[in-house]
Amino acid sequence: MPDYHDDLRLGHVLADAADATTMERFKALDLKVETKPDMTPVSEADKAAEELIRSSLQRARPRDAVLGEEFGSEGTGPRRWVIDPIDGTKNYVRGVPVWATLIALMERGEGGDRPVVGVVSAPALGRRWWAAEGLGAYTGRSLSSASRLAVSKVNNLSDASFAYSSLSGWEERGKLNGFLDLTRACWRTRGYGDFWPYMMVAEGSVDICAEPELSLWDMAANAVIVQEAGGRFTGLDGVPGPNSGDAAASNGLLHGAMLDYLRP
């Protein structure tokens, strides 16, 4: 099995640099925000953080490809870094502390590209999570000060906590009825949104979560962290990994029951 220790350490270095950049502009009164063609916001901090990560990767991993939300794809090859400089930009621009930088390394294999390293850093919450294939998933202040993550053992939807982002996405895609039926079957539902539900699945504080429309940079880092914590990460179609354009994550025990409500 490949050794991803060096890539994981690099992921932390990239996250440290991004944290410094994003926190410097968080809640700034003169923060510049634009609207992208898809009508989602992008701030100067999103762009600055991604540019910083890209320039660092160019020096440290010049042979690797890069895909980022703000500046697209560059390079080719079997290894690709996938970056969301600020996941939760709407929260960021409104001063809500629930946002994070997502950094993943994906590697090409027989079954296609799979995430092998993931770092999710939420500096306004004072939290960071990370994982690498075969090395487990962790949370803490640093590589040397961390606790290992493990998903819950809840095995019945009636005892499960279900996290989601919003109702509108499910309604727009004609999946609202199944989504609502799932919420009724669960013990508890909360709309935490963005990266956080996936991290709570990995921690075992939430049992299932799902979103109906996502991009690869929204999912790659989350996927490897959930999987290394002992959970499952698939599309709503049940295909493993972050490549389906939507996502379902669970402790594994509840995955089939969740997908019965949500699959296309």
Side-chain angles (χ1 to χ4, degrees):
M1 180 176 290
D3 185 343
Y4 296 108
H5 281 94
D6 286 346
D7 294 309
L8 186 56
R9 281 191 285 268
L10 176 58
H12 277 268
V13 170
L14 298 174
D16 288 343
D19 286 355
T21 297
T22 53
M23 285 300 291
E24 183 179 6
R25 300 299 292 155
F26 184 48
K27 295 187 178 181
L29 296 179
D30 61 344
L31 181 71
K32 296 176 182 175
V33 182
E34 303 170 2
T35 300
K36 293 190 286 189
D38 64 359
M39 302 308 293
T40 60
V42 57
S43 74
E44 62 183 89
D46 291 80
K47 295 180 178 180
E50 184 169 325
E51 287 175 334
L52 181 63
I53 293 171
R54 283 175 177 271
S55 63
S56 298
L57 285 171
Q58 182 60 41
R59 293 190 298 270
R61 297 288 191 274
R63 296 182 180 179
D64 292 351
V66 180
L67 170 68
E69 179 176 11
E70 307 308 334
F71 297 106
S73 181
E74 64 177 310
T76 59
R79 288 165 47 100
R80 178 171 59 163
W81 293 85
V82 180
I83 305 158
D84 190 343
I86 298 180
D87 183 50
T89 298
K90 292 177 182 177
N91 282 346
Y92 184 89
V93 301
R94 290 295 301 270
V96 178
V98 183
W99 50 271
T101 295
L102 278 53
I103 300 167
L105 172 63
M106 298 189 72
E107 197 164 81
R108 192 166 303 150
E110 292 182 2
D113 290 358
R114 72 189 192 284
V116 294
V117 172
V119 178
V120 173
S121 191
L125 294 175
R127 299 294 309 276
R128 184 176 292 184
W129 305 260
W130 64 89
E133 187 176 83
L135 300 179
Y138 298 85
T139 185
R141 293 289 183 178
S142 66
L143 282 166
S144 60
S145 177
S147 57
R148 190 155 187 169
L149 299 175
V151 296
S152 74
K153 299 185 184 302
V154 174
N155 60 7
N156 195 307
L157 282 178
S158 62
D159 300 319
S161 179
F162 171 37
Y164 61 94
S165 286
S166 70
L167 296 176
S168 59
W170 298 98
E171 185 174 28
E172 289 165 5
R173 286 154 192 83
K175 300 176 182 178
L176 183 60
N177 289 338
F179 170 84
L180 291 175
D181 287 343
L182 176 58
T183 66
R184 296 182 186 108
C186 292
W187 164 64
R188 190 169 189 259
T189 60
R190 287 293 183 272
Y192 300 106
D194 300 309
F195 68 94
W196 210 3
Y198 302 96
M199 298 303 98
M200 287 191 280
V201 168
E203 291 178 336
S205 53
V206 163
D207 308 300
I208 59 175
C209 68
E211 291 184 88
E213 183 181 28
L214 293 165
S215 297
L216 182 60
W217 48 74
D218 297 312
M219 298 183 283
N222 296 335
V224 65
I225 293 171
V226 168
Q227 291 165 353
E228 285 295 316
R232 285 186 65 190
F233 190 106
T234 73
L236 298 180
D237 54 10
V239 176
N243 300 301
S244 295
D246 46 39
S250 76
N251 63 3
L253 301 172
L254 298 169
H255 210 81
M258 171 175 57
L259 291 182
D260 285 343
Y261 285 94
L262 300 179
R263 72 171 71 246

